[in-house]
Amino acid sequence: SQQGEEDPQALSIQEGENATMNCSYKTSINNLQWYRQNSGRGLVHLILIRSNEREKHSGRLRVTLDTSKKSSSLLITASRAADTASYFCATDEGGSEKLVFGKGMKLTVNP
Amino acid sequence: DAGITQSPRHKVTETGTPVTLRCHQTENHRYMYWYRQDPGHGLRLIHYSYGVKDTDKGEVSDGYSVSRSKTEDFLLTLESATSSQTSVYFCAISGGQGGLNIQYFGAGTRLSVL
C-alpha cells in the first residue's frame, strides 16, 4: 500500500522560483525521507527528517514534518533547470526495515 | 548509482519464459531491495533481503522469487514472465547505519514482456 502521497502530482515553475511539494502519510513513523529521480535514472536520497524534528535544512532544501497532521513538505529555493526531476517521499512505517514510497511528484523548472 | 550494478539494463522477453535480473553491490551493505516502478503506482517493493539467505516479501511479490547466496548479489527471478510484469525494476541497498534506512539505488532494468 502507498504510505506517502505527494501533492501536487506535477508542478511547473520558472527558474529562480521556489518549489513546494507536500507529502501525507498514514501510520506512525520514525523518520521520513525525500528522494529525487532524474529521467531514466535511479532514485537519489536527498534528506531525512526524524519524527522528533520539525524542520531540517540542506543547501537549498528545507523539509518540515508535522507528525500531528502526518504530513511533510519539501521546499526547494531558487530553483534551477537542473532541479527538473520527480520527487518522492518515503516513510519507514514505524521503524520497519522497509520503506514505503509515494507515487512521486514531477517538477519541471523552465529556464 | 555508485557501488550498485544492475544487469541487464534492458531486456525483451516473451510471455512464459523465465527471467533473472541481477543486482550486484560493492558496498557490503546488509539490506538489499527489489522494486518495480510503473506509471501511476510509483515505486513498489517486491522482495527484500536482510542478510545472506534471509529474504522477505514486499507489497507485490506474487510471480517473483529472490535469492541471496552472497552479500554482494541479490537475484530477482520471474519464473514465467507475464505482460503485467513489464516494468522498470530497481535494486536498492542500505547499510542500516544508525538505524536509518537510507537507500541507494541502481540505474534500473527496463523489462518488456511481449
Side-chain angles (χ1 to χ4, degrees):
Chain A
S1 61
Q2 293 293 329
Q3 166 82 307
E5 292 289 340
E6 295 85 357
D7 172 56
Q9 292 190 334
L11 180 64
S12 182
I13 60 174
Q14 296 299 123
E15 239 179 354
E17 294 180 340
N18 295 340
T20 299
M21 50 206 92
N22 303 300
C23 169
S24 60
Y25 58 92
K26 297 174 183 175
T27 65
S28 64
I29 61 171
N30 282 348
N31 59 71
L32 183 145
Q33 302 179 47
W34 286 91
Y35 288 78
R36 182 188 74 227
Q37 183 181 33
N38 291 95
S39 181
R41 305 291 296 273
L43 278 69
V44 175
H45 173 78
L46 293 176
I47 193 166
L48 177 149
I49 186 165
R50 299 174 191 262
S51 60
N52 61 354
E53 297 176 313
R54 292 296 167 259
E55 186 171 313
K56 197 164 183 180
H57 296 255
S58 177
R60 293 184 296 112
L61 304 180
R62 172 179 170 255
V63 172
T64 63
L65 179 64
D66 187 334
T67 53
S68 67
K69 295 181 179 178
K70 292 186 170 61
S71 67
S72 172
S73 67
L74 172 67
L75 168 67
I76 303 175
T77 60
S79 63
R80 306 166 181 169
D83 295 327
T84 293
S86 292
Y87 292 82
F88 296 82
C89 65
T91 55
D92 68 345
E93 289 190 319
S96 166
E97 297 167 323
K98 301 177 286 188
L99 291 182
V100 180
F101 287 83
K103 295 180 181 180
M105 193 217 75
K106 185 171 174 59
L107 173 66
T108 302
V109 182
N110 301 299
Chain B
D1 304 350
I4 310 168
T5 304
Q6 289 187 233
S7 58
R9 292 293 316 280
H10 303 272
K11 186 169 182 67
V12 180
T13 191
E14 294 184 347
T15 299
T17 60
V19 176
T20 295
L21 308 183
R22 180 183 184 234
C23 178
H24 178 78
Q25 62 146 329
T26 58
E27 306 296 325
N28 200 34
H29 280 349
R30 176 184 177 189
Y31 298 95
M32 298 186 76
Y33 304 82
W34 276 109
Y35 295 90
R36 61 177 289 173
Q37 185 174 35
D38 304 287
H41 291 279
L43 215 62
R44 293 181 292 174
L45 181 65
I46 304 171
H47 282 281
Y48 72 103
S49 170
Y50 47 95
V52 173
K53 292 187 173 28
D54 292 323
T55 65
D56 204 353
K57 296 179 180 179
E59 177 189 356
V60 290
S61 59
D62 287 349
Y64 302 95
S65 63
V66 290
S67 66
R68 191 171 179 197
S69 59
K70 299 184 290 185
T71 298
E72 57 266 37
D73 289 325
F74 192 33
L75 303 180
L76 176 71
T77 297
L78 291 65
E79 301 290 348
S80 178
T82 67
S83 57
S84 65
Q85 293 176 312
T86 292
S87 186
V88 181
Y89 292 84
F90 287 99
C91 174
I93 64 174
S94 171
Q97 288 88 349
L100 300 177
N101 189 357
I102 294 175
Q103 297 188 7
Y104 303 90
F105 284 77
T109 294
R110 186 172 295 274
L111 176 66
S112 295
V113 183
L114 305 179

